[in-house]
């Protein structure tokens, strides 16, 4: 984890909550300390405890993208995918050029079964950082899932999320016409949500 992840420099005041304003059960320290402790707990593999600290920090400093991103990572690791998506989404909307927030939005959407949204945001992350292997792997996985689903209900049309252009010089095979009686029923192909947005982050220093 690089230095950028270890500081709050985009909206957190760092002054914390005065002692007399502390509610019962509130952790000791200020917002910066909550953030650092939360990030440390996350790195140690304790996302549930990290989420509690980082959620308190985000409540005090809602404009801090660093805190929201760390909270989203903790929520993702804790299995709270909808909450993680909302925080990754908040960071990405505040700064659309944040490739990691776009990646997090994409993998969280995949976990929730929204592969069209996943493909859109993973593609943005890959476009911004094409050399990042886990971005490209997540996008391939999401597109493969979309293609598998399309195989059950018809091919993806050009322009649809997950559509892959055929190689130059090739002709797509014609679609077989079949009656409803010809179809065999079966379960929808299984899906996976992509790699976890945790651990060492591969991104440029800000």
């Amino acid at each position: 984890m690089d230095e950028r992840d270890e500081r709050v420099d985009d909206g957190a005041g760092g002054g914390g909550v005065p002692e007399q304003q502390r509610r019962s059960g509130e952790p000791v320290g200020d917002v910066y300390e909550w953030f650092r402790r939360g990030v440390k707990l996350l790195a140690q593999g304790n996302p549930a405890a990290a989420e509690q600290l980082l959620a308190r920090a985000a409540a005090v400093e809602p404009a801090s993208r660093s805190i929201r991103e760390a909270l989203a990572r903790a929520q993702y690791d804790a299995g709270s995918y909808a909450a993680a998506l909302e925080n990754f989404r908040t960071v990405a909307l505040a700064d659309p050029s944040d490739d990691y927030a776009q990646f997090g939005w994409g993998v969280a959407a995949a976990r929730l079964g929204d592969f069209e949204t996943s493909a859109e945001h993973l593609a943005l992350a890959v476009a911004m950082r094409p050399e990042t292997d886990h971005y490209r792997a997540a996008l391939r996985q999401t597109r493969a899932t979309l293609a598998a689903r399309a195989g059950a209900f018809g091919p993806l049309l050009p322009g649809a999320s997950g559509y892959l252009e055929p190689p130059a010089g090739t002709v797509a095979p014609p679609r077989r016409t079949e009656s409803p009686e010809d179809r065999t029923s079966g379960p929808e192909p299984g899906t996976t949500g992509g790699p976890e947005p945790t651990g060492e982050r591969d991104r440029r220093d800000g």
Side-chain angles (χ1 to χ4, degrees), residues 9-28:
D9 57 3
D10 55 7
V17 182
E19 188 68 33
Q20 64 270 24
Q21 294 181 8
R22 288 215 173 98
R23 298 180 297 275
S24 175
E26 191 167 85
V28 176

Side-chain angles (χ1 to χ4, degrees), residues 27 43 66 134 149 156:
S66 295
H134 59 279
R149 287 185 168 187
L156 286 175

Side-chain angles (χ1 to χ4, degrees), residues 3-185:
E3 182 182 356
R4 183 175 177 181
D5 292 316
E6 292 287 347
R7 65 176 187 265
V8 183
D9 57 3
D10 55 7
V17 182
E19 188 68 33
Q20 64 270 24
Q21 294 181 8
R22 288 215 173 98
R23 298 180 297 275
S24 175
E26 191 167 85
V28 176
D30 59 20
V31 173
Y32 180 71
E33 291 176 24
W34 299 346
F35 172 72
R36 286 184 63 91
R37 284 159 55 197
V39 168
K40 184 176 181 179
L41 285 166
L42 182 58
Q44 292 172 342
N46 197 342
E51 181 181 358
Q52 292 182 20
L53 274 175
L54 293 166
R56 287 187 180 275
V60 176
E61 295 288 352
S64 170
R65 293 194 301 274
S66 295
I67 291 174
R68 280 196 177 273
E69 181 183 287
L71 174 58
R73 291 162 55 200
Q75 289 168 330
Y76 185 96
D77 281 4
S80 301
Y81 302 122
L85 186 150
E86 285 306 309
N87 279 303
F88 278 127
R89 178 177 179 273
T90 297
V91 176
L93 291 177
D95 181 9
S97 67
D98 189 323
D99 56 280
Y100 187 77
Q102 297 287 357
F103 168 71
W105 188 348
V107 292
R111 288 287 189 176
L112 293 168
D114 186 354
F115 292 98
E116 289 78 11
T117 296
S118 176
E120 176 185 350
H121 293 283
L122 291 174
L124 287 172
V126 169
M128 286 185 269
R129 296 291 301 279
E131 75 281 5
T132 306
D133 290 340
H134 59 279
Y135 287 10
R136 290 186 284 107
L139 180 59
R140 283 196 303 270
Q141 198 163 28
T142 283
R143 285 177 167 171
T145 298
L146 286 170
R149 287 185 168 187
F153 303 105
L156 286 175
L157 298 177
S161 296
Y163 176 79
L164 299 176
E165 292 285 349
T170 64
V171 178
R175 182 180 177 184
R176 184 172 70 87
T177 303
E178 58 184 10
S179 66
E181 291 76 14
D182 292 331
R183 293 184 179 273
T184 58
S185 60

